[in-house]
Amino acid sequence: MDTTDEQRLREAAQILSHATQVAVLTGAGISAESGVPTFRGEGGFWRGQSAMELATPEAFRRDPEGVWEFYRFRIAGLEDVVPNDGHRALADLESRSDRFWLITQNVDGLHRAAGSRNVIELHGTLDRARCQACSYRCASAELPDQPVPACPTCGNRLRPAVVWFGESLPDEALARAEEAIGACELMLVVGTSGVVQPASSFARWARSRGARVVEVNLESTPISDVADVSLFGPAGVVLPRLVDMSARDRA
Ligand code: BJW
Ligand code: ZN
């Protein structure tokens, strides 16, 4: 880190040390150091198809078997994946905050595995599947062994319990995110390209309610325009330093 990076880190730590109500918004970048591919990065392709195209209701209608292969590959891949220092720093931050919300766009379950408790999964989870027609849900580990698993209740297709483009986010997750945005004094935005709605509006919205905004990313994003401080570097390195430094400022 050069002097400017170090100064920015100190400034962000100061802001964090004064905030007792903290909301965090994470994206795929926080899990990159655990080996989970991001969406818009180089790893965002599977058998030559972009993950963005596969994560759509249209792809599932056109090729349900292919989309299930993609998701089964990702579900199986998670068995060998563990949280990294970035996930752990956020769990540590939660234990030091009066009120804390962790809003994640990720579906990999790594925040919960790291010990975070108040986790809001905006885009669902790979842990579960649901029927596209009725209210049946099951754990991904218990999926029927069929190329396109069928609902045991109504016979329709089961699908991963994630949110695809053009679909609404779960009501409960949205309501909890809105509470966080309205109440937080600081929103920390980590590892998201900030282009997918509605999450991409959260930082601007929190800022308009008086919150400070700190961003952690490898590069500048649309969020950088609303951030008080942007910290450029890997989340697994920057977050532990930020959380430690703010704890020392507070002591
Ligand atoms: C690091 C790092 C390290 C790397 N350390 N940093 C026109 C038509 C249809 C819809 C729309 C439309 N215009 C707008 C919409 C709405 C649409 C949208 O926003 N589209 C835009 C892309 C244009 N949004 C929706 O449809 C949402 N629903 C909705 O809005 O409902 C109302 C509505 C409906 C219809 C029309 C209009 C309104 C639903 C969005 C669902 C997104 N689903 C996915 C897939 C989830 C399931 C799965 O995993 O398979 O969610 S897509 C994908 O993008 C995934 C992610 O959660 C999401 C965000 O990506 P994220 O996390 O930001 O990852 P990346 O890869 O983009 O970025 C990684 C970042 O990390 C980079 O910045 C790196 O630099 C950084 N990084 N390593 C720190 N070590
Ligand atoms: Zn069903």
Side-chain angles (χ1 to χ4, degrees), residues 131-136 151-156 158:
C131 177
Q132 64 175 17
C134 77
S135 59
Y136 179 83
C151 173
T153 307
C154 75
N156 264 289
L158 295 177

Side-chain angles (χ1 to χ4, degrees), residues 39 51 54-57 60 67-68 70-72 74-75 78 105-109 112 121-132 137-138 140 158-170:
F39 286 88
L54 288 158
T56 62
F60 192 59
V67 170
W68 260 119
F70 167 61
Y71 278 95
R72 279 205 168 95
R74 289 174 59 197
I75 291 164
L78 286 181
Q105 300 169 84
N106 299 346
V107 295
D108 55 30
R112 279 180 281 116
E121 293 180 319
L122 276 186
H123 293 165
T125 173
L126 287 178
D127 276 356
R128 301 190 69 76
R130 65 177 175 86
C131 177
Q132 64 175 17
R137 293 174 73 86
C138 70
S140 297
L158 295 177
R159 53 162 286 178
V162 298
V163 181
W164 287 327
F165 279 118
E167 296 183 328
S168 305
L169 277 60

Side-chain angles (χ1 to χ4, degrees), residues 26-30 32-33 38-41 52 55 70-71 74 105-107 123 162-169 190-198 216-219 221 233-236:
T26 65
I30 193 163
E33 289 155 83
T38 59
F39 286 88
R40 290 160 188 84
M52 310 303 301
F70 167 61
Y71 278 95
R74 289 174 59 197
Q105 300 169 84
N106 299 346
V107 295
H123 293 165
V162 298
V163 181
W164 287 327
F165 279 118
E167 296 183 328
S168 305
L169 277 60
V190 185
T192 177
S193 54
V195 295
V196 175
Q197 290 288 358
V216 178
N217 201 304
L218 296 180
E219 58 191 27
T221 73

Side-chain angles (χ1 to χ4, degrees), residues 32 63 67 117 127 141 151-152 159 163 172 182 187 191 195 203 205 210 212 217 223 228 249:
D63 180 14
V67 170
R117 288 187 304 274
D127 276 356
C151 173
R159 53 162 286 178
V163 181
E172 200 220 337
M187 178 169 281
V195 295
W205 188 3
R212 310 293 297 275
N217 201 304
I223 309 281
D228 293 282
D249 284 348

